[in-house]
């Protein structure tokens, strides 16, 4: 809660400074930008049942929220159009029991890479130093380092190997671009990513393979400090 208040206060203060103290005009397009900051992602997750014997009907899984450093590189083609690539280190998610298994605990940990490409449209300035933008594009999600917990191994009858299918889906963002100088800027906004995958759970000791479909669909806020060149 304190972390959230600090973020909101910083964003509000930055917007106030940018409005009260206009900066010199930014570079004329075309040009490149690079930025870095952080993102908080909260899945709007839905899952099917874990298939196979030994589990009660109505079972399911849920995916935890996660925070990460995030950066982007963009080519600003014109005052309105830009092409952006998001890059970030692996983001770790916890997978917990849900549905009829609610309260059992954490079932697994998985790392994900979520590279995303967007085409952005920037609207005319609200103030001299503040612009709004929206973006639409594609995300490719790949999963690795899947680690089951003892809880999952016990529930499924032995050591279980987990694999998750890669996902290709839409991505959307909207936000504010705030000029701090002719070269430096701050972006704050919201991003949503369509991530759908199928997890395969292989328990070799009993010769059982189970599957569960999961729509992760993470979304959340970000703040990034950038430079034009």
């Amino acid at each position: 809660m304190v972390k959230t208040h600090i973020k909101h206060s910083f964003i509000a203060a930055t917007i106030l400074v940018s409005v009260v103290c206009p900066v010199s005009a930014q570079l004329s397009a075309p040009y490149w930008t690079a930025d870095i900051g952080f993102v908080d992602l909260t899945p709007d997750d839905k899952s099917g049942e874990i298939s196979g014997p030994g589990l009660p009907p109505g079972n399911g899984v849920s995916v935890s929220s996660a925070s990460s450093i995030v950066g982007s590189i963009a080519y600003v083609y014109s005052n309105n159009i830009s092409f952006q690539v998001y890059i970030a280190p692996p983001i770790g998610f916890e997978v917990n029991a849900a549905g009829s298994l609610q309260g059992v605990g954490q079932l697994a940990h998985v790392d994900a890479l979520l590279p995303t490409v967007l085409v952005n449209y920037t609207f005319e300035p609200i103030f001299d130093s503040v612009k709004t933008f929206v973006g639409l594009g594609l995300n490719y999600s790949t999963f690795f380092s899947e680690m089951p917990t003892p809880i999952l191994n016990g529930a499924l009858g032995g050591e279980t190997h987990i694999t998750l299918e890669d996902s290709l889906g839409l991505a959307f963002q909207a936000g504010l671009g705030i000029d701090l100088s002719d070269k430096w800027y701050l972006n704050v906004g919201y991003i949503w990513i369509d991530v759908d995958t199928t997890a395969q759970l292989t328990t070799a000791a009993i010769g059982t393979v189970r599957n569960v479909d999961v729509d992760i669909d993470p979304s959340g806020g970000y703040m990034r400090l950038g430079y034009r060149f």
Side-chain angles (χ1 to χ4, degrees):
M1 183 65 70
V2 172
K3 179 182 175 184
T4 300
H5 287 324
I6 292 173
K7 290 180 187 176
H8 290 171
S9 297
F10 180 72
I11 293 171
T14 305
I15 293 175
L16 179 61
V17 169
S18 66
V19 172
V20 175
C21 304
V23 298
S24 57
Q26 62 178 262
L27 298 180
S28 297
Y31 56 86
W32 290 86
T33 70
D35 55 45
I36 190 168
F38 61 84
V39 62
D40 289 323
L41 294 175
T42 300
D44 181 20
D45 54 341
K46 304 178 182 66
S47 86
E49 291 189 9
I50 304 173
S51 65
L55 293 175
N59 68 72
V61 299
S62 65
V63 182
S64 68
S65 299
S67 298
S68 176
I69 296 171
V70 65
S72 81
I73 298 173
Y75 176 68
V76 180
Y77 175 74
S78 70
N79 291 337
N80 301 111
I81 303 297
S82 63
F83 305 91
Q84 183 179 24
V85 178
Y86 274 110
I87 49 177
I91 301 175
F93 293 95
E94 294 180 359
V95 181
N96 301 302
S100 60
L101 297 176
Q102 183 75 37
V104 168
Q106 182 181 344
L107 302 180
H109 175 91
V110 60
D111 290 333
L113 284 174
L114 311 172
T116 303
V117 178
L118 293 158
V119 179
N120 299 311
Y121 183 86
T122 300
F123 298 92
E124 293 306 310
I126 303 174
F127 304 103
D128 287 344
S129 57
V130 181
K131 295 180 180 179
T132 58
F133 61 86
V134 294
L136 184 66
L138 290 175
N139 164 265
Y140 180 79
S141 298
T142 185
F143 304 92
F144 53 96
S145 299
E146 300 96 334
M147 295 292 295
T149 65
I151 292 174
L152 180 65
N153 289 333
L156 299 187
E159 186 71 27
T160 298
H161 177 69
I162 305 172
T163 59
L164 281 82
E165 293 180 355
D166 294 348
S167 170
L168 180 65
L170 292 175
F172 167 81
Q173 71 172 350
L176 292 176
I178 304 165
D179 292 337
L180 304 178
S181 73
D182 60 339
K183 294 292 187 70
W184 292 95
Y185 65 89
L186 184 72
N187 278 351
V188 293
Y190 167 88
I191 190 167
W192 170 87
I193 305 171
D194 177 29
V195 180
D196 303 333
T197 185
T198 297
Q200 185 177 84
L201 314 174
T202 304
T203 310
I206 59 174
T208 301
V209 178
R210 298 175 171 88
N211 295 291
V212 57
D213 296 325
V214 186
D215 298 342
I216 303 174
D217 298 347
S219 65
Y222 61 75
M223 181 189 310
R224 304 187 319 275
L225 178 66
Y227 184 79
R228 302 182 181 93
F229 57 94

